[in-house]
Amino acid sequence: MKALSVTEKLQQKDVKPTANRILVYETMAKLGCPLSISDIEDNLLSIDKSSIFRVITLFVQHDVVHAIEDGSGSLKYEICHEDLLHALGGHVHFYCEKCHHTFCLEGVDIPLVQIPEGFESKSVNYMIKGICPSCCKKNEIGNNLA
Amino acid sequence: MKALSVTEKLQQKDVKPTANRILVYETMAKLGCPLSISDIEDNLLSIDKSSIFRVITLFVQHDVVHAIEDGSGSLKYEICHEDLLHALGGHVHFYCEKCHHTFCLEGVDIPLVQIPEGFESKSVNYMIKGICPSCCKKNEIGNNLA
DNA sequence: AAAAAGATGCAACTTGGTTGCAAAGTTCTT
DNA sequence: AAGAACTTTGCAACCAAGTTGCATCTTTTT
Ligand SMILES: [Mn+2]
Ligand SMILES: [Mn+2]
Ligand SMILES: [Zn+2]
Ligand SMILES: [Zn+2]
């Protein structure tokens, strides 16, 4: 099975591949990590904020991307990879409180829990906050110099 | 060991118990579930938004309350109960997409995961989204009528 | 080619959160 | 007890992210 082009990936999800949509998708794919609307805005000066918003909204509806909630205040979006069952479950995310970057811990699956009778679960979000490797390192160096 | 008064609970955390702080604490205790600043505002018309904000900020710094991130857009706060080790771990939360209410699943502990080398974990947030029991029920009734 | 439907940019608006500042209240000194 | 020093509070102003209305431009349909 060969790799699909961006256009094909969008069509596969019933999203008409307009110029803006392709640009947004490509930007997200290129950067690889979960991005906020403003993050995308900063990387796509040509497109208006509202248009990016509408593209993302459409992408979410059509399951092209999904939203994740790190604690940063703004929603982050990432491309849905179907490889693994992403519906319920998915992987753990990590938010660095120092550099404000959100990481996908692709290898770390979310452990599911038993919830009380009556609750109907639609999605799960497992978020760890702390310091990322590169910021940990910087910190050590800083301490040594001090 | 006897139950502490609100005043004592605040003093225990090095927070001077002013009128506003006691009111905010009592409101949060009374409602029991995680609340946003605006939620508190709606229940405490007498106090200004900015004052509530400052009280909550202080509470967070002094570990009187802690923030949790449901996907609602606004941060929710809840009183820290020391009963269980709340630092790392804590319990799972549930956000109802219908009534926009956030529930503490007190009985359901967050299962911890092994994170990759180099990441330093400070806190964990496990959030389930879906439909709460009371909204599930309403839905069934609605369907039956239709 | 004309009409209809869809996508886009711009500006305006909403909301949650945050800050500056002066007034009111507390605590400390004398 | 009186005044100085510090803290808390309310008000208004501000800010950023998200969201919407509307006119314009583009694409699709007839
Ligand atoms: Mn991810
Ligand atoms: Mn809770
Ligand atoms: Zn970092
Ligand atoms: Zn509900």
Side-chain angles (χ1 to χ4, degrees):
Chain A
M1 128 203 203
K2 72 181 254 300
L4 277 69
S5 70
V6 172
T7 300
E8 286 166 327
K9 278 179 185 152
L10 293 180
Q11 282 167 340
Q12 192 180 263
K13 301 280 180 90
D14 281 311
V15 171
K16 204 198 313 176
T18 67
N20 277 355
R21 292 173 189 166
I22 293 173
L23 278 175
V24 169
Y25 190 99
E26 285 176 342
T27 304
M28 295 184 75
K30 187 181 63 176
L31 299 194
C33 62
L35 300 172
S36 68
I37 304 264
S38 334
D39 291 337
I40 300 172
E41 214 186 331
D42 295 341
N43 279 279
L44 275 176
L45 287 311
S46 60
I47 310 183
D48 185 75
K49 183 173 56 150
S50 66
S51 302
I52 295 177
F53 173 73
R54 287 190 258 239
V55 168
I56 290 291
T57 304
L58 188 78
F59 278 7
V60 168
Q61 285 161 357
H62 288 251
D63 238 9
V64 176
V65 306
H66 61 108
I68 61 172
E69 191 74 33
D70 54 20
S72 69
S74 51
L75 270 187
K76 299 285 171 76
Y77 300 90
E78 69 172 336
I79 294 172
C80 295
H81 296 292
E82 342 287 301
D83 351 329
L84 299 166
L85 46 150
H86 219 307
L88 227 75
H91 55 253
V92 170
H93 290 99
F94 185 97
Y95 177 74
C96 175
E97 291 173 334
K98 207 147 207 173
C99 65
H100 308 290
H101 189 91
T102 300
F103 300 78
C104 296
L105 305 186
E106 302 273 0
V108 186
D109 286 339
I110 298 179
L112 295 181
V113 296
Q114 177 79 43
I115 58 175
E117 191 70 30
F119 288 92
E120 191 183 313
S121 161
K122 288 259 208 279
S123 66
V124 190
N125 188 27
Y126 193 120
M127 194 70 220
I128 302 177
K129 288 199 220 182
I131 312 289
C132 80
S134 113
C135 288
C136 274
K137 190 150 297 177
K138 271 181 218 140
N139 214 34
E140 281 168 29
I141 295 168
N143 287 343
N144 289 345
L145 292 177
Chain B
M1 124 206 201
K2 72 182 255 302
L4 276 71
S5 70
V6 171
T7 301
E8 286 167 325
K9 278 180 186 153
L10 293 180
Q11 282 167 340
Q12 191 179 264
K13 299 281 180 92
D14 281 311
V15 172
K16 205 201 307 179
T18 67
N20 278 356
R21 292 173 190 166
I22 293 173
L23 278 175
V24 170
Y25 190 98
E26 284 177 342
T27 304
M28 296 184 73
K30 185 181 62 174
L31 299 195
C33 62
L35 301 172
S36 67
I37 304 264
S38 334
D39 291 337
I40 301 172
E41 215 185 332
D42 295 341
N43 280 279
L44 276 176
L45 287 309
S46 61
I47 309 182
D48 186 74
K49 183 171 60 148
S50 67
S51 300
I52 296 177
F53 172 75
R54 287 190 257 239
V55 168
I56 290 292
T57 304
L58 188 78
F59 278 7
V60 169
Q61 285 161 356
H62 287 250
D63 239 9
V64 176
V65 306
H66 62 108
I68 61 171
E69 191 74 37
D70 53 20
S72 70
S74 52
L75 268 188
K76 298 287 171 71
Y77 299 90
E78 69 173 337
I79 294 173
C80 295
H81 297 292
E82 343 287 302
D83 351 330
L84 300 165
L85 46 151
H86 218 307
L88 226 74
H91 55 253
V92 170
H93 289 99
F94 185 96
Y95 177 74
C96 175
E97 292 173 334
K98 207 149 207 171
C99 66
H100 307 290
H101 188 91
T102 300
F103 300 78
C104 296
L105 305 186
E106 300 273 359
V108 187
D109 285 340
I110 298 179
L112 295 182
V113 297
Q114 177 78 42
I115 57 175
E117 190 70 31
F119 288 92
E120 191 183 315
S121 162
K122 290 259 209 279
S123 65
V124 190
N125 188 27
Y126 193 120
M127 194 70 220
I128 302 177
K129 288 197 219 183
I131 314 290
C132 78
S134 114
C135 288
C136 273
K137 190 150 294 176
K138 272 179 219 146
N139 215 35
E140 281 168 31
I141 296 168
N143 285 345
N144 288 346
L145 293 177

